[in-house]
Amino acid sequence: MGERCGWCGTDPLYVAYHDDEWGVPERDSRALFEKLVLDGFQAGLSWYTILRKRENFRAAFAGFDPDVIAGWGEPDVVRLLGDAGIVRHRGKIEAAIGNARAWQQIESDGGFAAFVWSAVDGRPVQRELTALAQVPATDPRTDALSRRLKRAGFRFCGPTIVYAFAQAVGMFNDHLLTCPAHARCAALA
């Protein structure tokens, strides 16, 4: 058995995220919405910060049900700004609400999962990385997806955020070749 990707360290929460979620192909539209919103909240912060607060986010954001969130307005923004269990940033909260509305439109026009996965022609890209320094910060395919998301009305979805999202939801298998998760994720492709 090889070594895990070094970025996850030894914290049990982060190790479990690495081993069980990161890089596993996700095709559920709602789960993809949740991950993209959480990646938007991560902007300027570490993913570990968001991961530790994820259950609080799920409670505060109605289980990340876009159909519920899309109906929210200023009273909900104020409520969320008062919730110490999440990242309290007005712009990110307002973006999450707007993103839910954009998600609804995409979902009704053929599905959010299909929209997102079309960036890689529906199949995970299998990388053969041997060092963390080889892991890119962006990719032309996710740069294009970022632009498409923005045109559809999404915010907090720049190229770096969208690439991190794509890695996490298995569109790119960026586990190192020496990591046991690489083969597990490749088998799911």
Side-chain angles (χ1 to χ4, degrees):
M1 179 182 250
E3 280 187 38
R4 282 184 187 92
C5 301
W7 58 261
C8 72
T10 59
D11 181 277
L13 180 64
Y14 222 16
V15 169
Y17 173 72
H18 168 274
D19 290 357
D20 302 331
E21 292 182 59
W22 194 80
V24 174
E26 177 61 70
R27 296 184 185 272
D28 179 80
S29 288
R30 278 186 55 180
L32 291 166
F33 171 76
E34 173 181 337
K35 183 65 175 95
L36 186 58
V37 169
L38 288 173
D39 276 333
F41 271 98
Q42 180 198 346
L45 304 169
S46 75
W47 175 246
Y48 186 67
T49 298
I50 302 303
L51 190 58
R52 283 186 302 116
K53 295 177 177 276
R54 183 164 61 172
E55 291 308 316
N56 296 333
F57 272 105
R58 286 175 174 160
F61 281 88
F64 284 100
D65 183 336
D67 292 321
V68 171
I69 298 167
W72 289 356
E74 183 60 22
D76 299 289
V77 172
V78 171
R79 172 182 57 82
L80 292 167
L81 285 170
D83 187 336
I86 66 168
V87 173
R88 296 177 291 180
H89 183 286
R90 178 176 281 277
K92 292 176 182 181
I93 292 168
E94 290 173 345
I97 295 168
N99 290 354
R101 295 174 186 144
W103 178 92
Q104 285 181 314
Q105 185 60 51
I106 293 171
E107 186 68 9
S108 70
D109 287 344
F112 187 69
F115 180 92
V116 166
W117 276 90
S118 70
V120 291
D121 296 326
R123 293 182 312 276
V125 174
Q126 300 301 314
R127 301 229 200 249
E128 295 186 351
L129 307 171
T130 57
L132 289 177
Q134 295 174 317
V135 180
T138 64
D139 182 273
R141 291 164 283 204
T142 53
D143 293 350
L145 177 58
S146 170
R147 289 189 297 273
R148 289 177 59 218
L149 286 163
K150 287 177 183 178
R151 280 195 302 272
F154 276 80
R155 292 176 28 219
F156 282 93
C157 61
T160 303
I161 289 172
V162 172
Y163 189 70
F165 160 79
Q167 289 174 301
V169 300
M171 293 168 65
F172 291 83
N173 185 352
D174 281 354
H175 285 285
L176 301 183
L177 281 173
T178 56
C179 176
H182 185 280
R184 284 195 310 270
C185 290
L188 296 171

